[in-house]
Amino acid sequence: MSYCLNPTCPNPTNAAHDQICQSCGSRLLLRDRYRVVKPLGQGGFGATFLAHDHALPGEPSCVIKQLRPSGTAPHILQMARELFEREAKTLGKIGNHPQVPRLLDYFEEQEQFYLIQEYISGSTLQQEVKLNGIFSEAGVKQFLSETLPLLQYIHEQKVIHRDIKPANLIRRTQDARMVLIDFGAVKNQVSQAALNQSGQTALTAYAIGTPGFAPPEQMAMRPVYASDIYALGVTCIYLLSAKTPKDLDYNPKTGEMMWEHLVQVSDHLTSVLGKMLDVSVRNRYQSAEEVLRALDIEPYLESLAQGLLVKSDPNVKEPTYNRVENSAILSSDPSSGVMGLGGNKAQIAAAIRARRAKNGEAGGIRQGSSAGKSTSVTNNKNINSHRNNSQGRKLNTQSLLTAYHKGRRDFSLHNFSFMKLPGADLSETNFHSTQFQGTNLQGANLHNSDFGRASLTRANLRDANISKAYFNHADLEGADLRGADLTEAYLSNANLRGANLCGANLTGAKVSDEQLALAKTNWMTIRPNGKRGF
């Protein structure tokens, strides 16, 4: 099917290969490359559509967001343009993160504004809870451990999202990772428009987020980084109770959300969520890093060992399969740790595995009476599937390069150890949790690729282009990175022990002095501040 983008078209549905809309005569191939398949949704300023990009091999899917203001008044049009421009700039700025959709294009055509984004296949958390029931405590811990580092990254870019909620968090089908979408309501702390006499821009006064998820200071047009922490806390309450803010009661004296009686969690998690949800921004956690430090994983070894099963909600159909949070907790590489949480990560991972063995994982893992037989059996299948995947799917050199040139960009959980790939072009590719031990990638183009939790021990990355690549929790111990271009690479939590960074360019890279102290550097190494030297 082809779908017409003309907002006034009386019948936008057309045959798959039509070039001209049969109802209004508009061209159906946007910019001679994007064919819209179906509408996805519409908000106050924009409508989104699923499309295929005919200019790329395999005609991959993408999302088109079209400017469609709800009114025609000049100030409404101006707000809409500002909103689109701000979303495009923000995505361009932070879109190299694997948990944020990439900005592919942004243009104006026939007085219409268009923003083209990477398509994220999967279900939103809202859809997931409605289908499968509420999360267990361990499931919420896992969710926080995956989203808080993302939130920390966004805030480090001086950006406040302002609309975190279950409908804007998608569990990506290909790797089960959480992806944050809809940056149309972000607030950029660095380049704010000039204030008018009331102290606010027209756009700031409009884009305030979603009532109930937005805290009081954000509703008063004064968002701060802690505002996103509050919204993430409300999202957790939804995951634990399936209740939206409008379904909850509020304390008439303090204005605080009354949620404790609806959930069954430990005192520890209750305390953490309570501070995330404090109506006073002064008393709330000020950063995602603070929340991560507060989320000590030690009290949750037992629940993590029980497979992160979903609790059943009496009002929701019993789930028939377990979520795949296990894949992020049970890393095959002990050095990768547990999603950035505190404590001795290798010991925690070992303790979880020991408890699983002790509890008889092969016989099915249950969480009280809430997990039925079908859930336990399927949970075992997921665990076994993860174990198989963690060993790595096999492709040879030629099949890898052929698949890439045909348009494939997802090779997560594969095993490419000891392959010879010198000079290969593998840019903008998902290699999350992939094995590259001893692989020859000398001179390869790996720009903007995702190596999160990948193992690159003793890999040859000499003179490779790894600019804007993502290495969160990657293992680069003993890797040869001499002369490599690591400009704007994200190396937080990466293991650089013994990595050779002599002559490497780390300008703008996210890496700590402590990490660099473990690596080999020389006077030719360009530090993150752009200066040469040790």
Side-chain angles (χ1 to χ4, degrees):
M1 185 182 81
S2 292
Y3 197 88
C4 180
L5 286 172
N6 179 2
T8 61
C9 181
N11 184 18
T13 302
N14 291 268
H17 299 291
D18 284 349
Q19 299 298 313
I20 303 296
C21 178
Q22 302 303 304
S23 294
C24 68
S26 299
R27 295 180 61 187
L28 293 176
L29 206 59
L30 180 64
R31 267 205 166 180
D32 296 323
R33 65 181 294 181
Y34 302 111
R35 182 178 292 277
V36 176
V37 178
K38 64 177 181 179
L40 295 175
Q42 185 164 351
F45 281 158
T48 54
F49 305 88
L50 177 63
H52 294 303
D53 187 349
H54 287 237
L56 293 178
E59 299 181 0
S61 298
C62 60
V63 171
I64 296 178
K65 183 174 284 190
Q66 180 191 41
L67 178 65
R68 284 193 176 182
S70 54
T72 58
H75 73 281
I76 295 291
L77 295 174
Q78 180 59 28
M79 281 194 291
R81 288 191 180 96
E82 286 183 26
L83 187 69
F84 259 55
E85 289 172 4
R86 191 167 67 180
E87 183 170 7
K89 289 177 181 177
T90 301
L91 286 172
K93 183 178 181 180
I94 66 175
N96 64 321
H97 194 286
Q99 290 172 268
V100 176
R102 284 197 296 264
L103 176 67
L104 305 177
D105 206 350
Y106 174 66
F107 54 88
E108 180 179 359
E109 185 169 292
Q110 296 181 346
E111 299 184 351
Q112 295 283 337
F113 288 84
Y114 296 96
L115 187 151
I116 315 297
Q117 287 179 261
E118 172 190 12
Y119 172 64
I120 306 299
S121 175
S123 299
T124 67
L125 284 182
Q126 185 179 42
Q127 294 168 332
E128 199 170 305
V129 169
K130 287 181 178 179
L131 179 64
N132 303 322
I134 58 178
F135 278 42
S136 66
E137 174 169 343
V140 168
K141 289 266 302 172
Q142 169 58 25
F143 163 72
L144 285 171
S145 70
E146 191 171 357
T147 51
L148 283 166
L150 167 62
L151 199 58
Q152 181 180 349
Y153 171 83
I154 292 170
H155 291 171
E156 286 171 351
Q157 311 309 309
K158 310 297 183 186
V159 166
I160 306 170
H161 186 276
R162 302 215 301 177
D163 202 16
I164 293 174
K165 58 184 178 181
N168 282 341
L169 284 154
I170 295 178
R171 190 182 302 281
R172 186 164 49 203
T173 301
Q174 65 192 35
D175 57 6
R177 299 181 77 190
M178 296 308 311
V179 178
L180 181 59
I181 64 170
D182 196 355
F183 282 74
V186 298
K187 183 175 181 63
N188 191 318
Q189 290 286 80
V190 176
S191 57
Q192 298 184 45
L195 299 178
N196 59 22
Q197 292 181 350
S198 67
Q200 299 159 357
T201 66
L203 181 56
T204 300
Y206 179 86
I208 58 173
T210 302
F213 288 91
E217 76 278 358
Q218 183 174 323
M219 299 301 288
M221 323 302 178
R222 295 292 184 270
V224 293
Y225 296 125
S227 303
D228 283 345
I229 301 295
Y230 182 95
L232 193 63
V234 180
T235 298
C236 290
I237 301 306
Y238 175 80
L239 298 180
L240 289 164
S241 67
K243 303 289 186 184
T244 61
K246 64 181 178 60
D247 299 323
L248 301 177
D249 293 325
Y250 290 80
N251 187 317
K253 294 182 179 179
T254 64
E256 292 180 338
M257 183 184 298
M258 300 170 66
W259 55 272
E260 289 90 339
H261 63 290
L262 297 172
V263 304
Q264 296 180 1
V265 295
S266 66
D267 291 342
H268 177 245
L269 185 57
T270 298
S271 175
V272 172
L273 291 175
K275 191 167 182 179
M276 292 176 72
L277 292 165
D278 200 307
V279 293
S280 170
V281 67
R282 183 176 301 175
N283 298 330
R284 201 181 308 149
Y285 292 114
Q286 298 301 299
S287 69
E289 188 177 5
E290 284 187 20
V291 187
L292 278 170
R293 283 200 300 266
L295 283 169
D296 178 14
I297 199 172
E298 291 288 349
Y300 297 93
L301 281 175
E302 191 66 43
S303 57
L304 287 169
Q306 290 173 340
L308 306 178
L309 297 181
V310 182
K311 294 180 181 179
S312 61
D313 186 331
N315 299 319
V316 181
K317 182 181 178 181
E318 178 71 18
T320 57
Y321 64 90
N322 176 38
R323 304 181 196 280
V324 291
E325 286 102 344
N326 302 312
S327 63
I329 285 290
L330 294 174
S331 172
S332 60
D333 178 9
S335 66
S336 65
V338 184
M339 298 304 290
L341 296 181
N344 186 317
K345 299 174 183 177
Q347 291 179 357
I348 291 170
I352 293 173
R353 287 193 293 270
R355 285 179 181 270
R356 283 189 181 280
K358 179 180 178 182
N359 292 339
E361 183 174 273
I365 303 174
R366 293 177 173 81
Q367 181 176 348
S369 60
S370 63
K373 181 177 180 181
S374 62
T375 308
S376 299
V377 172
T378 311
N379 180 47
N380 289 328
K381 292 180 180 178
N382 282 338
I383 293 170
N384 292 332
S385 173
H386 170 72
R387 284 177 170 172
N388 293 335
N389 286 340
S390 66
Q391 294 172 3
R393 305 166 192 164
K394 293 287 187 179
L395 283 177
N396 60 33
T397 301
Q398 190 55 51
S399 57
L400 164 62
L401 296 176
T402 299
Y404 179 87
H405 289 304
K406 286 185 176 180
R408 182 174 172 183
R409 294 295 183 270
D410 177 25
F411 298 98
S412 60
L413 291 168
H414 280 64
N415 189 343
F416 298 135
S417 296
F418 304 106
M419 273 193 182
K420 300 186 185 305
L421 295 162
D425 182 6
L426 295 167
S427 60
E428 301 190 346
T429 302
N430 180 13
F431 291 117
H432 190 271
S433 298
T434 293
Q435 306 293 311
F436 284 100
Q437 294 98 328
T439 303
N440 184 357
L441 289 160
Q442 183 170 345
N445 180 11
L446 303 167
H447 168 76
N448 206 22
S449 288
D450 174 11
F451 292 95
R453 299 191 175 274
S455 178
L456 297 108
T457 55
R458 301 177 303 284
N460 180 0
L461 292 158
R462 191 170 181 176
D463 299 318
N465 176 8
I466 330 176
S467 57
K468 294 189 176 181
Y470 183 79
F471 289 98
N472 192 31
H473 287 291
D475 190 354
L476 288 156
E477 183 168 353
D480 186 352
L481 292 152
R482 285 175 291 176
D485 181 2
L486 286 156
T487 55
E488 298 184 49
Y490 191 86
L491 290 155
S492 287
N493 305 307
N495 178 17
L496 297 178
R497 184 179 298 277
N500 193 337
L501 290 167
C502 294
N505 185 354
L506 291 154
T507 303
K510 179 67 176 176
V511 61
S512 68
D513 291 337
E514 290 78 8
Q515 287 175 283
L516 292 178
L518 298 174
K520 299 176 184 176
T521 59
N522 67 357
W523 66 274
M524 288 290 291
T525 303
I526 302 178
R527 311 285 292 195
N529 61 8
K531 296 181 180 180
R532 290 187 184 275
F534 295 99

